[in-house]
PDB file of all heavy atoms in Angstrom:
ATOM      1  N   ARG K  24      13.932  13.737 -15.677  1.00  0.00           N
ATOM      2  CA  ARG K  24      14.830  12.978 -14.873  1.00  0.00           C
ATOM      3  C   ARG K  24      14.183  11.754 -14.174  1.00  0.00           C
ATOM      4  O   ARG K  24      14.780  10.656 -14.029  1.00  0.00           O
ATOM      5  CB  ARG K  24      15.525  13.791 -13.774  1.00  0.00           C
ATOM      6  CG  ARG K  24      16.384  14.927 -14.399  1.00  0.00           C
ATOM      7  CD  ARG K  24      17.159  15.641 -13.290  1.00  0.00           C
ATOM      8  NE  ARG K  24      16.368  16.228 -12.299  1.00  0.00           N
ATOM      9  CZ  ARG K  24      16.352  15.882 -10.996  1.00  0.00           C
ATOM     10  NH1 ARG K  24      17.212  14.912 -10.560  1.00  0.00           N
ATOM     11  NH2 ARG K  24      15.588  16.447 -10.099  1.00  0.00           N
ATOM     12  N   PHE K  25      12.900  11.980 -13.698  1.00  0.00           N
ATOM     13  CA  PHE K  25      12.174  10.944 -13.000  1.00  0.00           C
ATOM     14  C   PHE K  25      11.077  10.404 -13.842  1.00  0.00           C
ATOM     15  O   PHE K  25      10.451  11.153 -14.655  1.00  0.00           O
ATOM     16  CB  PHE K  25      11.605  11.501 -11.719  1.00  0.00           C
ATOM     17  CG  PHE K  25      12.590  11.828 -10.609  1.00  0.00           C
ATOM     18  CD1 PHE K  25      13.965  11.858 -10.847  1.00  0.00           C
ATOM     19  CD2 PHE K  25      12.109  12.119  -9.344  1.00  0.00           C
ATOM     20  CE1 PHE K  25      14.860  12.197  -9.832  1.00  0.00           C
ATOM     21  CE2 PHE K  25      12.987  12.424  -8.339  1.00  0.00           C
ATOM     22  CZ  PHE K  25      14.360  12.505  -8.559  1.00  0.00           C
ATOM     23  N   THR K  26      10.801   9.076 -13.740  1.00  0.00           N
ATOM     24  CA  THR K  26       9.687   8.534 -14.449  1.00  0.00           C
ATOM     25  C   THR K  26       8.881   7.601 -13.534  1.00  0.00           C
ATOM     26  O   THR K  26       9.434   6.746 -12.901  1.00  0.00           O
ATOM     27  CB  THR K  26      10.183   7.638 -15.644  1.00  0.00           C
ATOM     28  OG1 THR K  26      10.968   8.441 -16.510  1.00  0.00           O
ATOM     29  CG2 THR K  26       9.057   7.056 -16.429  1.00  0.00           C
ATOM     30  N   ILE K  27       7.632   7.912 -13.426  1.00  0.00           N
ATOM     31  CA  ILE K  27       6.707   7.061 -12.633  1.00  0.00           C
ATOM     32  C   ILE K  27       6.055   6.037 -13.575  1.00  0.00           C
ATOM     33  O   ILE K  27       5.664   6.369 -14.695  1.00  0.00           O
ATOM     34  CB  ILE K  27       5.679   7.955 -11.910  1.00  0.00           C
ATOM     35  CG1 ILE K  27       4.808   7.064 -10.976  1.00  0.00           C
ATOM     36  CG2 ILE K  27       4.713   8.656 -12.847  1.00  0.00           C
ATOM     37  CD1 ILE K  27       3.890   7.903 -10.029  1.00  0.00           C
ATOM     38  N   SER K  28       5.892   4.877 -13.029  1.00  0.00           N
ATOM     39  CA  SER K  28       5.210   3.815 -13.840  1.00  0.00           C
ATOM     40  C   SER K  28       4.592   2.872 -12.841  1.00  0.00           C
ATOM     41  O   SER K  28       4.741   2.935 -11.645  1.00  0.00           O
ATOM     42  CB  SER K  28       6.212   3.022 -14.721  1.00  0.00           C
ATOM     43  OG  SER K  28       7.263   2.409 -13.901  1.00  0.00           O
ATOM     44  N   ARG K  29       3.706   2.023 -13.376  1.00  0.00           N
ATOM     45  CA  ARG K  29       3.027   1.026 -12.536  1.00  0.00           C
ATOM     46  C   ARG K  29       2.842  -0.256 -13.211  1.00  0.00           C
ATOM     47  O   ARG K  29       2.752  -0.347 -14.463  1.00  0.00           O
ATOM     48  CB  ARG K  29       1.704   1.573 -12.062  1.00  0.00           C
ATOM     49  CG  ARG K  29       0.600   1.699 -13.112  1.00  0.00           C
ATOM     50  CD  ARG K  29      -0.653   2.475 -12.577  1.00  0.00           C
ATOM     51  NE  ARG K  29      -1.240   1.814 -11.430  1.00  0.00           N
ATOM     52  CZ  ARG K  29      -2.056   2.371 -10.616  1.00  0.00           C
ATOM     53  NH1 ARG K  29      -2.305   3.595 -10.719  1.00  0.00           N
ATOM     54  NH2 ARG K  29      -2.563   1.654  -9.595  1.00  0.00           N
ATOM     55  N   ASP K  30       2.811  -1.355 -12.476  1.00  0.00           N
ATOM     56  CA  ASP K  30       2.521  -2.676 -12.971  1.00  0.00           C
ATOM     57  C   ASP K  30       1.354  -3.208 -12.180  1.00  0.00           C
ATOM     58  O   ASP K  30       1.597  -3.691 -11.013  1.00  0.00           O
ATOM     59  CB  ASP K  30       3.784  -3.546 -12.854  1.00  0.00           C
ATOM     60  CG  ASP K  30       3.604  -4.909 -13.499  1.00  0.00           C
ATOM     61  OD1 ASP K  30       2.454  -5.324 -13.729  1.00  0.00           O
ATOM     62  OD2 ASP K  30       4.648  -5.599 -13.801  1.00  0.00           O
ATOM     63  N   ASN K  31       0.195  -3.103 -12.644  1.00  0.00           N
ATOM     64  CA  ASN K  31      -0.983  -3.448 -11.923  1.00  0.00           C
ATOM     65  C   ASN K  31      -1.002  -4.959 -11.617  1.00  0.00           C
ATOM     66  O   ASN K  31      -1.672  -5.379 -10.586  1.00  0.00           O
ATOM     67  CB  ASN K  31      -2.234  -3.031 -12.629  1.00  0.00           C
ATOM     68  CG  ASN K  31      -2.503  -1.583 -12.560  1.00  0.00           C
ATOM     69  OD1 ASN K  31      -1.912  -0.865 -11.718  1.00  0.00           O
ATOM     70  ND2 ASN K  31      -3.350  -1.028 -13.421  1.00  0.00           N
ATOM     71  N   ALA K  32      -0.431  -5.761 -12.452  1.00  0.00           N
ATOM     72  CA  ALA K  32      -0.391  -7.175 -12.200  1.00  0.00           C
ATOM     73  C   ALA K  32       0.445  -7.523 -10.911  1.00  0.00           C
ATOM     74  O   ALA K  32       0.258  -8.496 -10.290  1.00  0.00           O
ATOM     75  CB  ALA K  32       0.192  -7.938 -13.396  1.00  0.00           C
ATOM     76  N   LYS K  33       1.379  -6.618 -10.633  1.00  0.00           N
ATOM     77  CA  LYS K  33       2.198  -6.822  -9.408  1.00  0.00           C
ATOM     78  C   LYS K  33       1.855  -5.881  -8.315  1.00  0.00           C
ATOM     79  O   LYS K  33       2.569  -5.870  -7.293  1.00  0.00           O
ATOM     80  CB  LYS K  33       3.667  -6.590  -9.804  1.00  0.00           C
ATOM     81  CG  LYS K  33       4.247  -7.608 -10.824  1.00  0.00           C
ATOM     82  CD  LYS K  33       5.721  -7.284 -11.155  1.00  0.00           C
ATOM     83  CE  LYS K  33       6.230  -8.280 -12.153  1.00  0.00           C
ATOM     84  NZ  LYS K  33       7.697  -8.025 -12.500  1.00  0.00           N
ATOM     85  N   ASN K  34       0.748  -5.077  -8.471  1.00  0.00           N
ATOM     86  CA  ASN K  34       0.393  -4.182  -7.476  1.00  0.00           C
ATOM     87  C   ASN K  34       1.533  -3.211  -7.021  1.00  0.00           C
ATOM     88  O   ASN K  34       1.661  -2.889  -5.897  1.00  0.00           O
ATOM     89  CB  ASN K  34      -0.197  -4.847  -6.179  1.00  0.00           C
ATOM     90  CG  ASN K  34      -1.580  -5.461  -6.445  1.00  0.00           C
ATOM     91  OD1 ASN K  34      -2.111  -5.428  -7.572  1.00  0.00           O
ATOM     92  ND2 ASN K  34      -2.168  -6.003  -5.387  1.00  0.00           N
ATOM     93  N   THR K  35       2.264  -2.797  -8.012  1.00  0.00           N
ATOM     94  CA  THR K  35       3.455  -2.063  -7.662  1.00  0.00           C
ATOM     95  C   THR K  35       3.614  -0.764  -8.532  1.00  0.00           C
ATOM     96  O   THR K  35       3.248  -0.704  -9.726  1.00  0.00           O
ATOM     97  CB  THR K  35       4.720  -2.910  -8.010  1.00  0.00           C
ATOM     98  OG1 THR K  35       4.678  -4.107  -7.206  1.00  0.00           O
ATOM     99  CG2 THR K  35       6.027  -2.151  -7.624  1.00  0.00           C
ATOM    100  N   VAL K  36       4.018   0.297  -7.859  1.00  0.00           N
ATOM    101  CA  VAL K  36       4.311   1.568  -8.523  1.00  0.00           C
ATOM    102  C   VAL K  36       5.850   1.756  -8.362  1.00  0.00           C
ATOM    103  O   VAL K  36       6.481   1.500  -7.344  1.00  0.00           O
ATOM    104  CB  VAL K  36       3.571   2.723  -7.854  1.00  0.00           C
ATOM    105  CG1 VAL K  36       3.980   4.023  -8.453  1.00  0.00           C
ATOM    106  CG2 VAL K  36       2.048   2.500  -7.994  1.00  0.00           C
ATOM    107  N   TYR K  37       6.411   2.322  -9.460  1.00  0.00           N
ATOM    108  CA  TYR K  37       7.840   2.533  -9.450  1.00  0.00           C
ATOM    109  C   TYR K  37       8.128   4.012  -9.680  1.00  0.00           C
ATOM    110  O   TYR K  37       7.323   4.839 -10.239  1.00  0.00           O
ATOM    111  CB  TYR K  37       8.501   1.849 -10.633  1.00  0.00           C
ATOM    112  CG  TYR K  37       8.255   0.316 -10.575  1.00  0.00           C
ATOM    113  CD1 TYR K  37       7.250  -0.254 -11.366  1.00  0.00           C
ATOM    114  CD2 TYR K  37       9.086  -0.494  -9.785  1.00  0.00           C
ATOM    115  CE1 TYR K  37       6.985  -1.624 -11.297  1.00  0.00           C
ATOM    116  CE2 TYR K  37       8.799  -1.856  -9.777  1.00  0.00           C
ATOM    117  CZ  TYR K  37       7.816  -2.395 -10.587  1.00  0.00           C
ATOM    118  OH  TYR K  37       7.598  -3.774 -10.499  1.00  0.00           O
ATOM    119  N   LEU K  38       9.303   4.440  -9.194  1.00  0.00           N
ATOM    120  CA  LEU K  38       9.776   5.796  -9.537  1.00  0.00           C
ATOM    121  C   LEU K  38      11.243   5.628  -9.877  1.00  0.00           C
ATOM    122  O   LEU K  38      12.112   5.350  -9.037  1.00  0.00           O
ATOM    123  CB  LEU K  38       9.682   6.765  -8.322  1.00  0.00           C
ATOM    124  CG  LEU K  38      10.131   8.170  -8.576  1.00  0.00           C
ATOM    125  CD1 LEU K  38       9.124   8.878  -9.550  1.00  0.00           C
ATOM    126  CD2 LEU K  38      10.179   8.985  -7.299  1.00  0.00           C
ATOM    127  N   GLN K  39      11.486   5.675 -11.182  1.00  0.00           N
ATOM    128  CA  GLN K  39      12.858   5.635 -11.685  1.00  0.00           C
ATOM    129  C   GLN K  39      13.482   7.064 -11.651  1.00  0.00           C
ATOM    130  O   GLN K  39      12.955   7.990 -12.199  1.00  0.00           O
ATOM    131  CB  GLN K  39      12.852   5.131 -13.140  1.00  0.00           C
ATOM    132  CG  GLN K  39      14.231   5.115 -13.771  1.00  0.00           C
ATOM    133  CD  GLN K  39      15.109   4.063 -13.170  1.00  0.00           C
ATOM    134  OE1 GLN K  39      14.720   2.928 -12.950  1.00  0.00           O
ATOM    135  NE2 GLN K  39      16.368   4.451 -12.820  1.00  0.00           N
ATOM    136  N   MET K  40      14.550   7.170 -10.898  1.00  0.00           N
ATOM    137  CA  MET K  40      15.190   8.441 -10.707  1.00  0.00           C
ATOM    138  C   MET K  40      16.589   8.457 -11.326  1.00  0.00           C
ATOM    139  O   MET K  40      17.448   7.647 -10.924  1.00  0.00           O
ATOM    140  CB  MET K  40      15.330   8.786  -9.190  1.00  0.00           C
ATOM    141  CG  MET K  40      13.973   8.700  -8.422  1.00  0.00           C
ATOM    142  SD  MET K  40      14.126   9.209  -6.759  1.00  0.00           S
ATOM    143  CE  MET K  40      15.172   7.894  -6.110  1.00  0.00           C
ATOM    144  N   ASN K  41      16.829   9.245 -12.331  1.00  0.00           N
ATOM    145  CA  ASN K  41      18.038   9.423 -13.038  1.00  0.00           C
ATOM    146  C   ASN K  41      18.616  10.773 -12.824  1.00  0.00           C
ATOM    147  O   ASN K  41      17.908  11.690 -12.500  1.00  0.00           O
ATOM    148  CB  ASN K  41      17.886   9.128 -14.486  1.00  0.00           C
ATOM    149  CG  ASN K  41      17.343   7.690 -14.791  1.00  0.00           C
ATOM    150  OD1 ASN K  41      17.718   6.732 -14.108  1.00  0.00           O
ATOM    151  ND2 ASN K  41      16.538   7.605 -15.813  1.00  0.00           N
ATOM    152  N   SER K  42      19.925  10.899 -13.110  1.00  0.00           N
ATOM    153  CA  SER K  42      20.574  12.266 -12.999  1.00  0.00           C
ATOM    154  C   SER K  42      20.286  12.867 -11.691  1.00  0.00           C
ATOM    155  O   SER K  42      19.969  14.096 -11.680  1.00  0.00           O
ATOM    156  CB  SER K  42      20.159  13.125 -14.219  1.00  0.00           C
ATOM    157  OG  SER K  42      20.457  12.559 -15.408  1.00  0.00           O
ATOM    158  N   LEU K  43      20.452  12.171 -10.672  1.00  0.00           N
ATOM    159  CA  LEU K  43      20.153  12.656  -9.286  1.00  0.00           C
ATOM    160  C   LEU K  43      20.971  13.855  -8.903  1.00  0.00           C
ATOM    161  O   LEU K  43      22.231  13.854  -9.181  1.00  0.00           O
ATOM    162  CB  LEU K  43      20.259  11.522  -8.336  1.00  0.00           C
ATOM    163  CG  LEU K  43      19.040  10.542  -8.299  1.00  0.00           C
ATOM    164  CD1 LEU K  43      19.416   9.260  -7.613  1.00  0.00           C
ATOM    165  CD2 LEU K  43      17.844  11.194  -7.703  1.00  0.00           C
ATOM    166  N   LYS K  44      20.360  14.752  -8.188  1.00  0.00           N
ATOM    167  CA  LYS K  44      21.015  15.995  -7.685  1.00  0.00           C
ATOM    168  C   LYS K  44      20.951  15.920  -6.170  1.00  0.00           C
ATOM    169  O   LYS K  44      20.171  15.312  -5.532  1.00  0.00           O
ATOM    170  CB  LYS K  44      20.322  17.191  -8.193  1.00  0.00           C
ATOM    171  CG  LYS K  44      20.165  17.306  -9.759  1.00  0.00           C
ATOM    172  CD  LYS K  44      19.363  18.500 -10.139  1.00  0.00           C
ATOM    173  CE  LYS K  44      19.206  18.609 -11.644  1.00  0.00           C
ATOM    174  NZ  LYS K  44      18.390  19.770 -11.991  1.00  0.00           N
ATOM    175  N   VAL K  45      21.854  16.724  -5.568  1.00  0.00           N
ATOM    176  CA  VAL K  45      21.876  16.830  -4.126  1.00  0.00           C
ATOM    177  C   VAL K  45      20.525  17.316  -3.571  1.00  0.00           C
ATOM    178  O   VAL K  45      20.045  16.787  -2.555  1.00  0.00           O
ATOM    179  CB  VAL K  45      22.992  17.814  -3.639  1.00  0.00           C
ATOM    180  CG1 VAL K  45      22.873  18.063  -2.155  1.00  0.00           C
ATOM    181  CG2 VAL K  45      24.305  17.273  -3.976  1.00  0.00           C
ATOM    182  N   GLU K  46      19.834  18.197  -4.309  1.00  0.00           N
ATOM    183  CA  GLU K  46      18.575  18.706  -3.861  1.00  0.00           C
ATOM    184  C   GLU K  46      17.425  17.690  -3.978  1.00  0.00           C
ATOM    185  O   GLU K  46      16.357  17.866  -3.488  1.00  0.00           O
ATOM    186  CB  GLU K  46      18.132  19.922  -4.636  1.00  0.00           C
ATOM    187  CG  GLU K  46      18.257  19.793  -6.134  1.00  0.00           C
ATOM    188  CD  GLU K  46      19.606  20.292  -6.690  1.00  0.00           C
ATOM    189  OE1 GLU K  46      20.603  20.070  -6.117  1.00  0.00           O
ATOM    190  OE2 GLU K  46      19.531  21.043  -7.691  1.00  0.00           O
ATOM    191  N   ASP K  47      17.693  16.492  -4.540  1.00  0.00           N
ATOM    192  CA  ASP K  47      16.739  15.407  -4.538  1.00  0.00           C
ATOM    193  C   ASP K  47      16.770  14.657  -3.191  1.00  0.00           C
ATOM    194  O   ASP K  47      15.918  13.770  -2.975  1.00  0.00           O
ATOM    195  CB  ASP K  47      17.018  14.403  -5.659  1.00  0.00           C
ATOM    196  CG  ASP K  47      16.838  15.046  -7.036  1.00  0.00           C
ATOM    197  OD1 ASP K  47      15.852  15.789  -7.192  1.00  0.00           O
ATOM    198  OD2 ASP K  47      17.604  14.788  -7.922  1.00  0.00           O
ATOM    199  N   THR K  48      17.734  14.919  -2.337  1.00  0.00           N
ATOM    200  CA  THR K  48      17.793  14.234  -1.074  1.00  0.00           C
ATOM    201  C   THR K  48      16.531  14.530  -0.207  1.00  0.00           C
ATOM    202  O   THR K  48      16.219  15.645   0.035  1.00  0.00           O
ATOM    203  CB  THR K  48      18.992  14.723  -0.295  1.00  0.00           C
ATOM    204  OG1 THR K  48      20.235  14.350  -0.974  1.00  0.00           O
ATOM    205  CG2 THR K  48      19.114  14.109   1.106  1.00  0.00           C
ATOM    206  N   ALA K  49      15.867  13.440   0.145  1.00  0.00           N
ATOM    207  CA  ALA K  49      14.636  13.533   0.889  1.00  0.00           C
ATOM    208  C   ALA K  49      14.127  12.180   1.281  1.00  0.00           C
ATOM    209  O   ALA K  49      14.682  11.177   0.792  1.00  0.00           O
ATOM    210  CB  ALA K  49      13.528  14.272   0.088  1.00  0.00           C
ATOM    211  N   VAL K  50      13.114  12.104   2.141  1.00  0.00           N
ATOM    212  CA  VAL K  50      12.405  10.887   2.350  1.00  0.00           C
ATOM    213  C   VAL K  50      11.293  10.854   1.258  1.00  0.00           C
ATOM    214  O   VAL K  50      10.519  11.808   1.168  1.00  0.00           O
ATOM    215  CB  VAL K  50      11.791  10.837   3.766  1.00  0.00           C
ATOM    216  CG1 VAL K  50      10.960   9.563   3.916  1.00  0.00           C
ATOM    217  CG2 VAL K  50      12.928  10.803   4.760  1.00  0.00           C
TER     218      VAL K  50
END
C-alpha cells in the first residue's frame, strides 16, 4: 500500500500512501 522513494537531486523523500485505512491515522 505504501511506497517510499527519494529524489536526491531535490533532497526529498516521499511516502506514497494508497488504500488508506483508519488504522493508518497517525502523525
Side-chain angles (χ1 to χ4, degrees):
R24 300 188 299 118
F25 291 10
T26 302
I27 187 171
S28 62
R29 68 190 298 161
D30 186 340
N31 286 344
K33 297 180 179 179
N34 286 5
T35 302
V36 176
Y37 304 96
L38 185 68
Q39 178 66 48
M40 305 185 295
N41 298 325
S42 302
L43 283 162
K44 305 175 181 179
V45 172
E46 51 263 45
D47 294 320
T48 296
V50 177

